[in-house]
Amino acid sequence: MSPQESSARETRHRRPTTGARWPLLLTLAVLTGACSLLAESALSDKRSEGGLDATATGGGCAPDCPDGACCGGTCVALDKDREHCGACGNACGDGESCCGGTCTNVLNDPSHCGACGGTCPNTLCVGGHCSSECVFGFDNCDGNVVTNGCEVDLTSDPERCGGCSLRCAAGAICNAGECACAPPLLDCDNLHDTGCEIDGSSDPANCGACGVTCGPNMECQAGVCGCAPGYADCNRSPDDGCEATLGTEVDCRGCGDTCASGMICDGRSGCACASGRLDCDGAPGCEAIAIDPTTCGACDVRCAPEKPYCDGAACAAGCAGGLAACDYSCVDTQSSPFHCGACGVAAGLHQRCDRGELVCDEGFADCNPNVAGCESDVSRDPQHCGACGTACKPGAVCVSGACTCGALTPHDCGTACRACCSDEDCSDGDGCTIDVCEGGTRCKSTGCADGEQCCSLVACRQCCTSADCSGGEICSGGACIAPCGGGLVACEGECVSLGSTDHCGACGNACLSGRDCRNGECTPAWAPMTATGAPAPRQMPAATWIGNALFLWGGRTSAGDVSDGALYDPARDTWSTLGNEGAPSPRVLAAAAWTGSRVLVWGGGSFGSLLGLSTGGVYDPAARTWRAMSATNAPTARRMPIGVWTGTRLLIWGGSAGGAPVAGGGLYNPVADAWTPASSAGAAPAREGVAWAWSGTELYLFGGRAGEATTNEGYAYNPTTDVWRSLPSADAPSPRTEAFAVWMGDRLLVWGGQDQEGTARKGGAIYDPAADAWRGIDDKGAPSDRSRVERRTGWTGWTGAQALIAGGRSGVTLRRDGKLYDPMMMGWDAGMSAASKQHTYGVGVWTGTELILWSGLDGFSLVPDGERFRP
């Protein structure tokens, strides 16, 4: 996984860690609380400094004693006197203190924890100390429980609704801890980052509610499916929608408004006599023919024996030239529906005479030779869809002459259209349900088991907050546990020390191998990686972070291109080999991305060639097996492509082939093993040295070089909507190539790079997609001038609070140090000390907490060494 992709993933799913000074501040808080208790005890019986001793005043209080504060002849402080708390004679009980005129137990009151005024910001007070456990509805999202406690109201904050990582979609509100779209907007793809992407008032696929699909020839009108103009639902079946076309002889002005024999529908006034037909009996239909001598041109005109022939307008002694005599009717056999091509050859249902031949009306065909006319409506007949004998698969309907899955069977399972093909089709985005597809006929969702409850649509747990627990227990990690004592805090259901390497300064802040926890900080910053069991040193491998290990594969060793690889576990500092059966062919500069269960490797090429490959493989770490990826409709062959996992697809874009940059890309669905092309409308052009970052919703591209010219154009691509957009040019960084780019949770940082002359740059800017605007950043304390060369040098990462800019080059000088940028403070923070090796063309992967550098070149030599940096 690329640093950018890992950054976006960790921003969505990883809670920021608490500051390193937690143990020290906790100690100070305890000491301060103890001192406050002693001071309060000493002051509780002290007479008011504003009053006089009762013996000195003869038992009275001074004139300036506040009303109601003169108790037994003594002026007391009602806001803190335990014997007169809030009112004379209102004595506090054992173990209680008077705080602000109210008796309270400072051992468990979060408003007066340890001492009056000792506020626990939305955290529980346990034993007189503010704990790390949040009160109901709040959470510690910035990890800094010491300074601001549980600072987020999960019940109403749309940025953290029901959980720190649960940001409501764009346009949504947070109501009682659950995101809800403002009507008529809907969130139907269950993808957090796409927002309330559907207008339920007009979207025919989600009309009024998600999944409510309007059928063929229907429109969504004010959130209700209705027939489009000119159509009607005459069979009352939702599968084929409004299947009936109005304005026809079958359904002229509405369902069942059928024109009688000899009539046509003119679409405005309804049924009327067809050309050459007359209604002479007053009964429904136009039974008479205008060319018949008994009704020649009108019902009451009968031809006399001296003029026995009728041409439809008048009686005549014989037929004029060009007309044929058929039973005393003078007709044009090239167009007559009664005598087409020859006397007595009449057009049937949905037929007409065209140049002496019987032809079917548009949308109809003669599929049954035993029935006169063109009886089959090939525009909607599923047995003859588009043409006679073309039958739709089971579950499909025929719409406008093409087979498509119906509204009740929307999923094409290959052999049939069904309600669902797999459990994936039934996913509802609710973490509290198990969704399964039953026989393809329906989706079934099973809720939480007995004894568990749904917590903010995230998961089924024993408890969501401590309010769900009883007997003085607290909720931690979804389970009710006894309050922690002895300086321990609750972390995911366990009482732990924040001085341990697994919880250094904050719950879950694991230092991993090679580091100790000292004063709440993991130290040292750099940790070496074991060489035991490591693969052969190499350059240009594919690498990504898979949640708990570094995945690397392929590349170039001293023996040549290889197709082997390994996994590195930083928690145990161990290596393990990958399964090799079915692996892609040896290559360098391939892209790799982690789906959550599989690694996708695609593209790349031979070390000794500039040509690329358009093949790849899917690796299953659990089974240690590979399978080939389909090459059908795959993007064109390329080296060094950008590859990110969108949540449902592998997005491939750009790269190089034949020594030149290429544009365009595609989306790979590993479930269907199928590619679809990415839209080219408004897409970014091919450029070298493009800075890029993945936000979790969009792929951002900035700058680059086309030929000799650099640019500062920016683009964003949304794979869900398959839409490109251009970033604004106002206040954007100056034209540059090979810049660093980091997605910082909600904004894009672009920094450094080099200008057209090849001079390294230092400045940059931040793009805010919410405002669709750029703003500059302060260069004070920034890293030295440098640029990032894709897959050679230059690494980035996002800690959840700071952006890491590391490595890169300044001219011919390769950098090994870096700096951190804090967007909240809008300035550069502590630096990254230099790595021991250059690691050019090696592995450089950000895990969310660490930067892992391994192998590559140090100068001109392959090195077996690896090292990990933790900010």
Side-chain angles (χ1 to χ4, degrees):
M1 183 181 296
S2 67
Q4 290 90 337
E5 184 185 4
S6 179
S7 166
R9 182 183 298 276
E10 292 301 323
T11 297
R12 295 195 301 273
H13 299 294
R14 178 178 172 270
R15 183 171 296 175
T17 58
T18 305
R21 294 173 293 175
W22 160 256
L24 177 59
L25 292 174
L26 179 60
T27 303
L28 291 174
V30 173
L31 294 175
T32 301
C35 292
S36 298
L37 283 171
L38 292 174
E40 181 185 45
S41 176
L43 290 171
S44 62
D45 295 324
K46 183 179 179 180
R47 302 180 189 276
S48 171
E49 294 181 1
L52 298 175
D53 192 304
T55 60
T57 61
C61 296
D64 60 351
C65 185
D67 291 343
C70 186
C71 302
T74 301
C75 190
V76 300
L78 297 177
D79 61 338
K80 58 184 177 182
D81 194 311
R82 294 183 66 252
E83 299 301 323
H84 309 283
C85 187
C88 291
N90 184 33
C92 295
D94 293 341
E96 291 186 327
S97 299
C98 181
C99 298
T102 302
C103 292
T104 185
N105 188 338
V106 295
L107 294 179
N108 56 27
D109 187 345
S111 298
H112 306 282
C113 189
C116 291
T119 304
C120 296
N122 301 318
T123 65
L124 297 179
C125 178
V126 180
H129 307 301
C130 293
S131 73
S132 60
E133 186 68 23
C134 300
V135 299
F136 178 77
F138 289 82
D139 208 341
N140 171 32
C141 294
D142 64 3
N144 194 2
V145 72
V146 175
T147 302
N148 58 4
C150 298
E151 78 286 355
V152 175
D153 184 351
L154 301 180
T155 64
S156 62
D157 188 344
E159 295 296 314
R160 299 172 180 86
C161 187
C164 291
S165 62
L166 302 179
R167 182 182 183 185
C168 288
I173 59 174
C174 183
N175 182 19
E178 294 187 8
C179 295
C181 293
L185 298 181
L186 303 169
D187 178 18
C188 297
D189 60 7
N190 293 316
L191 297 177
H192 166 84
D193 295 313
T194 60
C196 299
E197 79 285 355
I198 298 299
D199 184 349
S201 66
S202 60
D203 190 331
N206 302 279
C207 189
C210 294
V212 177
T213 304
C214 297
N217 304 321
M218 301 185 81
E219 294 178 343
C220 183
Q221 306 158 350
V224 178
C225 291
C227 291
Y231 295 92
D233 180 15
C234 295
N235 62 5
R236 303 299 180 186
S237 171
D239 257 347
D240 55 5
C242 296
E243 82 294 341
T245 302
L246 301 182
T248 66
E249 287 72 33
V250 178
D251 303 294
C252 186
R253 289 172 296 184
C255 295
D257 183 19
T258 304
C259 296
S261 175
M263 305 186 79
I264 61 170
C265 179
D266 65 8
R268 289 173 295 186
S269 59
C271 296
C273 288
S275 176
R277 302 300 292 260
L278 300 170
D279 180 11
C280 296
D281 61 3
C286 300
E287 79 291 344
I289 301 174
I291 58 173
D292 192 301
T294 62
T295 52
C296 186
C299 292
D300 56 354
V301 177
R302 187 181 186 91
C303 293
E306 62 274 14
K307 292 183 178 181
Y309 292 92
C310 177
D311 62 6
C315 296
C319 293
L323 300 180
C326 296
D327 295 331
Y328 294 98
S329 296
C330 298
V331 299
D332 181 358
T333 58
Q334 295 297 297
S335 60
S336 174
F338 310 108
H339 307 281
C340 184
C343 294
V345 180
L349 183 67
H350 301 302
Q351 274 184 330
R352 66 184 185 278
C353 185
D354 184 9
R355 288 175 290 185
E357 297 287 340
L358 291 175
V359 297
C360 295
D361 292 338
E362 185 177 359
F364 290 87
D366 183 10
C367 298
N368 186 350
N370 297 321
V371 177
C374 301
E375 78 293 340
S376 298
D377 184 350
V378 292
S379 67
R380 59 184 181 182
D381 187 342
Q383 298 304 314
H384 305 284
C385 188
C388 294
T390 303
C392 297
K393 66 180 64 176
V397 294
C398 183
V399 180
S400 300
C403 295
T404 184
C405 291
L408 299 181
T409 53
H411 296 281
D412 188 348
C413 301
T415 58
C417 291
R418 302 185 182 277
C420 52
C421 303
S422 65
D423 294 345
E424 182 178 314
D425 296 327
C426 299
S427 176
D428 57 6
D430 185 347
C432 298
T433 61
I434 298 175
D435 309 301
V436 296
C437 176
E438 292 191 335
T441 60
R442 70 167 184 150
C443 290
K444 181 179 179 181
S445 298
T446 304
C448 296
D450 292 341
E452 295 184 338
Q453 55 187 304
C454 177
C455 296
S456 300
L457 300 181
V458 176
C460 294
R461 296 170 178 163
Q462 179 185 352
C463 57
C464 304
T465 69
S466 296
D468 300 324
C469 301
S470 59
E473 291 187 323
I474 61 175
C475 183
S476 178
C480 293
I481 64 172
C484 299
L488 303 180
V489 297
C491 289
E492 293 300 315
E494 295 181 296
C495 293
V496 303
S497 169
L498 296 185
S500 67
T501 56
D502 290 331
H503 306 278
C504 186
C507 290
N509 185 33
C511 295
L512 305 180
S513 62
R515 297 188 184 91
D516 295 322
C517 181
R518 298 177 185 174
N519 297 323
E521 292 186 352
C522 294
T523 186
W526 285 99
M529 297 166 62
T530 182
T532 303
R538 62 195 65 197
Q539 57 178 312
M540 305 182 191
T544 188
W545 179 248
I546 65 170
N548 58 4
L550 168 71
F551 169 96
L552 66 90
W553 178 88
R556 174 83 170 183
T557 69
S558 59
D561 295 355
V562 294
S563 62
D564 63 358
L567 294 174
Y568 173 74
D569 181 354
R572 298 182 298 169
D573 191 30
T574 57
W575 290 92
S576 59
T577 58
L578 301 181
N580 200 40
E581 184 177 353
S585 59
R587 63 190 68 190
V588 300
L589 298 176
W594 171 241
T595 71
S597 62
R598 305 288 191 275
V599 182
L600 308 179
V601 175
W602 188 86
S606 170
F607 180 83
S609 170
L610 294 178
L611 300 179
L613 296 169
S614 60
T615 58
V618 179
Y619 183 70
D620 182 348
R624 300 184 73 248
T625 57
W626 289 89
R627 70 168 174 83
M629 296 168 64
S630 171
T632 303
N633 297 323
T636 56
R638 61 195 69 192
R639 305 158 66 88
M640 206 163 54
I642 295 171
V644 298
W645 177 247
T646 70
T648 59
R649 304 289 189 273
L650 169 67
L651 167 60
I652 292 293
W653 189 89
S656 67
V662 295
L667 295 160
Y668 175 71
N669 181 346
V671 176
D673 188 29
W675 287 93
T676 55
S679 172
S680 60
R687 288 202 177 100
E688 294 179 299
V690 174
W692 67 276
W694 169 247
S695 73
T697 303
E698 294 179 302
L699 174 66
Y700 286 92
L701 305 168
F702 180 84
R705 179 176 56 247
E708 297 299 323
T710 57
T711 181
N712 66 345
E713 292 178 343
Y715 298 85
Y717 173 68
N718 186 325
T720 302
T721 59
D722 195 27
V723 172
W724 286 89
R725 64 184 178 90
S726 296
L727 304 187
S729 58
D731 300 319
S734 59
R736 62 191 63 197
T737 184
E738 296 181 349
F740 292 81
V742 187
W743 180 252
M744 302 188 299
D746 58 357
R747 285 162 289 176
L748 173 71
L749 169 66
V750 173
W751 187 89
Q754 62 180 18
D755 59 20
Q756 187 167 322
E757 285 70 37
T759 303
R761 305 299 301 261
K762 189 175 184 178
I766 292 175
Y767 172 70
D768 183 351
D772 192 27
W774 292 91
R775 70 167 176 83
I777 58 176
D778 191 351
D779 280 345
K780 183 179 180 181
S784 58
D785 301 356
R786 63 188 69 192
S787 63
R788 175 184 176 272
V789 186
E790 183 77 21
R791 302 294 291 271
R792 180 184 178 189
T793 182
W795 313 289
T796 60
W798 171 244
T799 69
Q802 295 175 312
L804 173 66
I805 300 292
R809 68 171 180 172
S810 299
V812 297
T813 303
L814 298 177
R815 304 292 184 183
R816 294 181 288 124
D817 62 346
K819 279 290 187 76
L820 292 160
Y821 180 79
D822 188 336
M824 293 297 293
M825 302 301 294
M826 292 190 292
W828 295 93
D829 205 343
M832 181 187 89
S833 56
S836 65
K837 300 289 193 311
Q838 292 173 349
H839 298 290
T840 56
Y841 295 113
V843 170
V845 169
W846 175 254
T847 71
T849 58
E850 290 187 325
L851 173 65
I852 299 181
L853 303 177
W854 181 80
S855 197
L857 299 172
D858 191 51
F860 296 98
S861 302
L862 280 175
V863 294
D865 301 317
E867 48 196 318
R868 309 182 343 254
F869 171 75
R870 186 186 188 94

